[in-house]
Amino acid sequence: MNSLKNHLLIAMPSLQDKYFKRSVTYLCEHDEEGAMGLIINQPIGLDLDDLLKKMKLQQDDFVLPTNLANQVLLGGPVTPDRGFVLHSGPTQYANSRRINDQLTVTCSKDVLDSFGSDQAPEQYLVALGYAGWEAGQLEQEIQQGSWLTIPAEPELLFDVPHKQRWETATKRLGIDIWQLSGEIGHA
């Protein structure tokens, strides 16, 4: 099995699941035990600075810059009350797992405490919940034609507007996604 860790899953147009329709999911983990990822293109309508104030991690006058990182995302349907921060930089926070040389995923509040300070990661996205697959499940869904995959690029994770990530990711494949069929043929 080839690991798809640090890849993006791009939902095929035929995938109509309410969580994954036109989704782009960053895979943080993928091995023989299963896969874990964060949907990176579904804002939930909550600004990060408002979330931090509700959690009493920041003062009422605290405001993060108005950019993509200030929008909280729906990371997936599993444990939607738990937060995950995908960020650049080293594993300097509790409950962090290094994905590659550039990216780390952290699920502890100490990374949230750093926002607004010079200790904060340079690039980050915050998601509530995650997407998970049991052993062999993701491979089966890919074989059935639910997903396309591409290697992840920091630009797609942090710079492309959320509503444009699905279309931008499909264009990186060099295809027109709307001309693909959701049906797989067998010879």
Side-chain angles (χ1 to χ4, degrees):
M1 176 192 79
N2 291 329
S3 175
L4 293 173
K5 179 178 178 178
N6 194 42
H7 279 68
L8 296 176
L9 292 178
I10 304 165
M12 288 289 288
S14 59
L15 185 58
Q16 295 298 308
D17 179 275
K18 70 177 184 175
Y19 291 104
F20 296 107
K21 183 178 182 178
R22 294 193 192 162
S23 67
V24 179
T25 304
Y26 176 78
L27 287 177
C28 301
E29 290 293 328
H30 181 231
D31 58 27
E32 63 280 346
E33 295 177 23
M36 178 268 182
L38 300 172
I39 299 171
I40 63 163
N41 66 326
Q42 296 181 10
I44 62 172
L46 177 66
D47 287 341
L48 178 58
D49 45 3
D50 292 334
L51 177 66
L52 295 175
K53 289 172 194 169
K54 287 179 185 179
M55 294 175 64
K56 300 191 185 324
L57 295 177
Q58 300 293 342
Q59 302 300 319
D60 285 337
D61 60 348
F62 176 80
V63 178
L64 286 170
T66 308
N67 61 22
L68 295 175
N70 196 28
Q71 297 177 29
V72 178
L73 304 172
L74 170 67
V78 183
T79 63
D81 58 338
R82 186 171 179 197
F84 296 85
V85 180
L86 179 64
H87 59 89
S88 61
T91 314
Q92 64 188 26
Y93 308 103
N95 295 319
S96 289
R97 175 167 280 169
R98 193 85 167 143
I99 297 169
N100 60 30
D101 291 341
Q102 294 87 30
L103 296 172
T104 301
V105 65
T106 299
C107 60
S108 59
K109 75 177 193 105
D110 58 336
V111 68
L112 299 175
D113 288 331
S114 74
F115 291 152
S117 75
D118 58 355
Q119 309 299 315
E122 185 176 320
Q123 296 178 303
Y124 58 87
L125 60 83
V126 177
L128 297 179
Y130 69 93
W133 293 265
E134 294 179 357
Q137 182 183 1
L138 179 58
E139 293 81 358
Q140 184 178 10
E141 290 179 14
I142 292 170
Q143 189 175 38
Q144 291 170 343
S146 296
W147 303 102
L148 297 171
T149 63
I150 60 169
E153 299 172 11
E155 176 195 1
L156 271 172
L157 295 172
F158 302 113
D159 299 334
V160 174
H162 299 113
K163 291 182 186 249
Q164 296 173 13
R165 288 181 180 173
W166 184 76
E167 190 172 336
T168 301
T170 61
K171 285 181 180 177
R172 298 274 165 100
L173 289 167
I175 58 172
D176 180 355
I177 194 81
W178 296 110
Q179 293 187 3
L180 293 179
S181 168
E183 304 298 317
I184 295 178
H186 296 283

